[in-house]
Amino acid sequence: MRRFTEILDIAADRKGGREAVLADATPPLSADELAAIPDDRWLSAMARGIFQAGISWKVVENKWPDIEEAFHQFDVARVAHMSEDWFYELIEDTRIVRSPPKVRAIQENALWILSVAGEHGSFGRKIGEWPADDFQGLLDWMQKEGARLGGGTGSYLLRSMGKESYILSKDVVARLVAEGVIDKAPTSKKAKAAVQQAFNTWAEESGYNLTQISRVLAQSIG
């Protein structure tokens, strides 16, 4: 496994310098900043990821203002306690992506957010205090406790909300394979642990955060 500075140099050679490589790596939010994000925005982000799965993201983007309206701006308590009448109204509502399993998953996630917020003060507080060196543990928790938040949905969600994170895109996986960390896209517990350890090693030796490292790995390939 190369040192991170070597991979950064590969990306810099491809993209026109280190500044160009790191320009789009938005600094992660602090734990307090994540804690301050209202719970309805977390539910909104979960819903966006759930609706985008398996279809064109552009379709969801175009519908998004109407989806927000249809779900009453993702008022968490209101969605959590969705009546059956409202559920059936939603799956007939042309403003949204009319998928009963996805609508039900959004309701289930609203209930989950209420539970986590009740214990920690806000859903964002739980996310913010989760250590970066166990990011895989956070993804596992979201997949286990949430609804339809596995695969890439959880990592893209966390990145969009400002959590320090890595995303196992095609290019990031290719770099990890090239470095001998894994031999294919990680699906096993052992492989996912190896990915986390590689990121931790690169973070410790370089001082860069997971978001920056993920960005550099991707640009060293794509």
Side-chain angles (χ1 to χ4, degrees), residues 56-87:
S56 167
W57 288 22
K58 187 65 175 177
V59 170
V60 177
E61 183 68 28
N62 290 338
K63 283 179 170 284
W64 198 252
D66 288 338
I67 292 173
E68 284 272 357
E69 182 179 15
F71 280 87
H72 299 285
Q73 314 306 317
F74 291 99
D75 180 300
V76 177
R78 189 166 186 169
V79 176
H81 301 296
M82 181 184 296
S83 67
E84 287 301 295
D85 285 343
W86 186 23
F87 174 81

Side-chain angles (χ1 to χ4, degrees), residues 11 36 57 142 146 151 163 173 180 183 193 219-220:
W57 288 22
M142 291 184 66
K163 176 66 175 176
V173 169
D183 58 8
Q219 293 195 87
S220 73

